[in-house]
Amino acid sequence: MTRSAHETTSAGSSPFPSYPLPPRAGAGLKTEHIDAILADDYRIGFLEVHAENYMGDGGPPHRALSAIRAEFPLSVHGVGLSIGSAGGIDPDHLERLARVVERYQPGMVSEHLAWSSHDAGYFNDLLPVPYNGETLERVTAHIGQIQDRLKRRILLENPSTYVAFEDTTMSETDFIREIARRSGCGLLLDINNVFVSATNHGWKPMQYLRDFPLEMVEEIHLAGHAEDTDDEGELLLIDAHDRPVADDVWKLYEIVISQAGPLPTLVEWDNDVPEWPVLRHEAQLVDRILDRLGPISMLGSRHAAE
């Protein structure tokens, strides 16, 4: 399939089938929480796993995930495809991802607008890309390759960034909108990433959100961030995923839901992971906001019609 065959003007006109998650709170699945989740009276809306943790063929991880998948919707989030890499998509990695997707039939599959590999080297970071025509062509082609192999649309997540490139010629929001239009992918809006990048670069997060194509968003991520300082002593935020969601991020989330309607919303907590009741509390805060603001949102009717 060529790139033009993917091209679309809205998330709803993609040629790929849709596997929507419920518009409720979700949480990143940690093995230490599995027994508590299965025994909990609170039935969380969905759970998300990092695909790379399940690329083996068997053993305890797959037995545990199979038990979860039998009772909950699942989202698969990739961290290693290196979509922005100039070296192309690793075909072996893509095949391993396809096996995970085919085995568990998740509601959503998502990846980051970032790169993390060069030649034979792999980095334990999601590194930024310049926003220009060359990168646009490359990322669009890579998403087309991924979607063709998976036979489904993926969601692309906006990054948290700490530096900007001199050869960037487009805004991040224009760049992401054009990738989605050309490739037919959906978007995953990470609101903590918006707040982290806005603080680090001196943007206004609300201006970013006003420019972001909310009509293409199919999932939201929330997470906690850490505060540090740069070499000049200025505030530097780190996308740490090691603490509760910050109040400023909750406020932005309420604004997004009031405009975009109820959307599946994941609480990420990947470092210094707390006991399940702490993460459960964060998820319940999400559900309360969705219940309060989703029905009166400006774009809420789009979900009711799906």
Side-chain angles (χ1 to χ4, degrees):
M1 182 177 290
T2 64
R3 192 195 69 191
S4 60
H6 295 117
E7 195 164 305
T8 182
T9 55
S10 75
S13 59
S14 168
F16 296 107
S18 178
Y19 305 87
L21 291 171
R24 292 192 52 218
L29 181 65
K30 304 301 175 191
T31 55
E32 59 265 42
H33 294 159
I34 289 176
D35 289 343
I37 292 170
L38 291 172
D40 199 340
D41 290 336
Y42 169 67
R43 308 302 284 176
I44 196 161
F46 67 98
L47 291 153
E48 183 174 281
V49 297
H50 287 174
E52 285 72 12
N53 291 333
Y54 296 91
M55 288 184 171
D57 290 330
H62 282 292
R63 285 198 293 275
L65 185 55
S66 295
I68 286 291
R69 182 67 185 93
E71 297 200 27
F72 296 94
L74 190 69
S75 178
V76 166
H77 194 47
V79 295
L81 270 178
S82 196
I83 281 177
S85 172
I89 298 295
D90 180 345
D92 292 334
H93 192 101
L94 180 54
E95 285 303 311
R96 289 191 290 271
L97 171 63
R99 287 202 297 273
V100 174
V101 171
E102 289 162 2
R103 183 170 183 169
Y104 291 104
Q105 294 295 308
M108 299 287 186
V109 179
S110 53
E111 251 289 356
H112 300 81
L113 176 56
W115 64 281
S116 55
S117 63
H118 181 68
D119 291 333
Y122 287 84
F123 308 99
N124 192 28
D125 287 296
L126 297 167
L127 301 166
V129 297
Y131 303 135
N132 56 37
E134 179 181 353
T135 315
L136 181 67
E137 295 286 342
R138 181 166 66 242
V139 172
T140 300
H142 289 169
I143 292 176
Q145 179 185 352
I146 295 164
Q147 293 183 145
D148 283 346
R149 175 60 189 90
L150 300 183
K151 298 182 176 60
R152 60 187 293 160
R153 186 170 60 194
I154 68 168
L155 307 184
L156 184 67
E157 178 179 341
N158 59 297
S160 59
T161 59
Y162 309 88
V163 297
F165 291 89
E166 290 183 352
D167 53 349
T168 280
T169 59
M170 304 171 67
S171 71
E172 184 172 291
T173 51
D174 285 346
F175 187 81
I176 289 173
R177 178 186 293 103
E178 187 60 13
I179 287 176
R181 189 189 71 79
R182 292 190 185 193
S183 71
C185 75
L187 298 178
L188 192 167
L189 175 60
D190 189 315
I191 297 177
N192 183 61
N193 285 354
V194 172
F195 187 77
V196 166
S197 295
T199 302
N200 292 342
H201 294 289
W203 311 333
K204 294 183 182 304
M206 275 308 304
Q207 182 61 52
Y208 182 100
L209 292 173
R210 277 194 288 271
D211 292 341
F212 200 87
L214 292 182
E215 72 279 6
M216 294 180 171
V217 174
E218 298 182 43
E219 186 181 345
I220 291 176
H221 276 186
L222 301 173
H225 57 256
E227 294 187 359
D228 203 339
T229 55
D230 63 18
D231 291 342
E232 297 177 349
E234 298 294 329
L235 177 64
L236 180 72
L237 298 187
I238 308 296
D239 182 30
H241 295 195
D242 64 348
R243 64 196 67 199
V245 177
D247 288 345
D248 287 331
V249 175
W250 282 120
K251 292 174 184 174
L252 293 174
Y253 176 62
E254 290 193 350
I255 292 169
V256 168
I257 294 301
S258 69
Q259 296 179 358
L263 288 164
T265 302
L266 180 83
V267 178
E268 295 182 294
W269 200 319
D270 298 313
N271 299 301
D272 297 333
V273 177
E275 297 293 323
W276 170 245
V278 177
L279 194 50
R280 177 188 197 265
H281 173 71
E282 295 279 290
Q284 288 177 311
L285 294 177
V286 168
D287 276 335
R288 290 173 194 163
I289 292 171
L290 291 171
D291 290 343
R292 177 165 54 88
L293 297 177
I296 60 173
S297 61
M298 295 170 60
L299 299 177
S301 59
R302 68 175 175 154
H303 304 292
E306 290 174 353

